[in-house]
Amino acid sequence: MNAIFIWLEAHDKLAGWAQFFGATLALVTTYLTAFAPIWRRKRQLKNAAARLLSHGYEAIESYHRTSAHFLPFALSLRQAGLSMMVIADEINRFPIYELDDQGSRSIARYLVATSGTLSATRLFLETIANDLEDREANEDDQATVRRMIEERLNFIRDMLSGAELKRPEWPISNPTGSN
């Protein structure tokens, strides 16, 4: 050990390089130590966001899969709407603006779209449930509910798979009054 110190003293320029590499190592270690919790948090947020998207898809998919086996009734529609509302509320509480990517095909946008889809589906189911209070459901009601749920399911499936989404086309009225 003593020989190392004598050799370093004889080569004073090497001592400066050793100090430089030591200081660089200390800075890199400090940087990694300071940012490791931030990187971990971002990874946890991304994983949690993916789980929320999965839950949103599963809520709609589960109702779609089971609704073929019974005629809808007010309580079953309200229960399905409630399960979708719970997941939409969870998504709405999620800190989406802490996610890194905020682009048009980002997980943050997918969360917003999924929450809106779940909320709109809940409103649709609640409207049908109110209609069914005065009468019994029939197969047309079942077909209407399944068709709407299937459209929402396909929308979320396409969104999550990366397929190009098209905006709905609304009828355009002619401002001159002629068709």
Side-chain angles (χ1 to χ4, degrees):
M1 189 71 148
N2 224 2
I4 294 173
F5 288 125
I6 293 171
W7 186 80
L8 285 174
E9 287 176 2
H11 299 85
D12 60 340
K13 292 186 181 183
L14 285 177
W17 279 106
Q19 288 176 348
F20 169 75
F21 287 123
T24 303
L25 179 64
L27 286 172
V28 168
T29 303
T30 302
Y31 177 80
L32 293 175
T33 303
F35 287 102
I38 294 169
W39 296 329
R40 183 173 181 233
R41 166 95 170 128
K42 288 183 182 210
R43 188 174 56 249
Q44 288 174 334
L45 282 173
K46 187 175 180 183
N47 290 340
R51 278 193 306 274
L52 283 173
L53 284 174
S54 175
H55 294 320
Y57 174 81
E58 289 169 2
I60 293 175
E61 191 270 337
S62 175
Y63 187 74
H64 183 264
R65 187 172 8 96
T66 59
S67 64
H69 303 293
F70 62 90
L71 288 177
F73 53 97
L75 186 59
S76 72
L77 293 170
R78 286 194 173 101
Q79 188 279 332
L82 182 63
S83 66
M84 291 177 198
M85 180 191 71
V86 167
I87 295 169
D89 287 347
E90 285 297 315
I91 292 172
N92 292 337
R93 283 194 296 271
F94 185 80
I96 62 171
Y97 298 108
E98 290 182 32
L99 294 169
D100 282 339
D101 186 10
Q102 299 288 322
S104 62
R105 291 186 183 232
S106 68
I107 199 165
R109 294 275 178 103
Y110 291 168
L111 284 169
V112 171
T114 300
S115 175
T117 300
L118 290 167
S119 296
T121 304
R122 178 185 172 265
L123 289 173
F124 171 78
L125 293 174
E126 187 66 31
T127 301
I128 298 292
N130 289 339
D131 185 43
L132 290 179
E133 289 292 343
D134 300 332
R135 63 182 179 83
E136 286 190 29
N138 57 39
E139 290 179 6
D140 287 340
D141 296 322
Q142 182 184 38
T144 300
V145 169
R146 284 194 45 80
R147 186 175 47 255
M148 192 281 186
I149 295 292
E150 183 175 20
E151 288 172 4
R152 300 298 84 212
L153 181 63
N154 289 336
F155 170 78
I156 290 180
R157 182 183 298 131
D158 290 346
M159 180 183 64
L160 296 178
S161 70
E164 183 176 346
L165 302 176
K166 296 184 180 180
R167 295 184 185 271
E169 293 183 22
W170 303 101
I172 299 173
S173 62
N174 192 341
T176 62
S178 62
N179 289 334

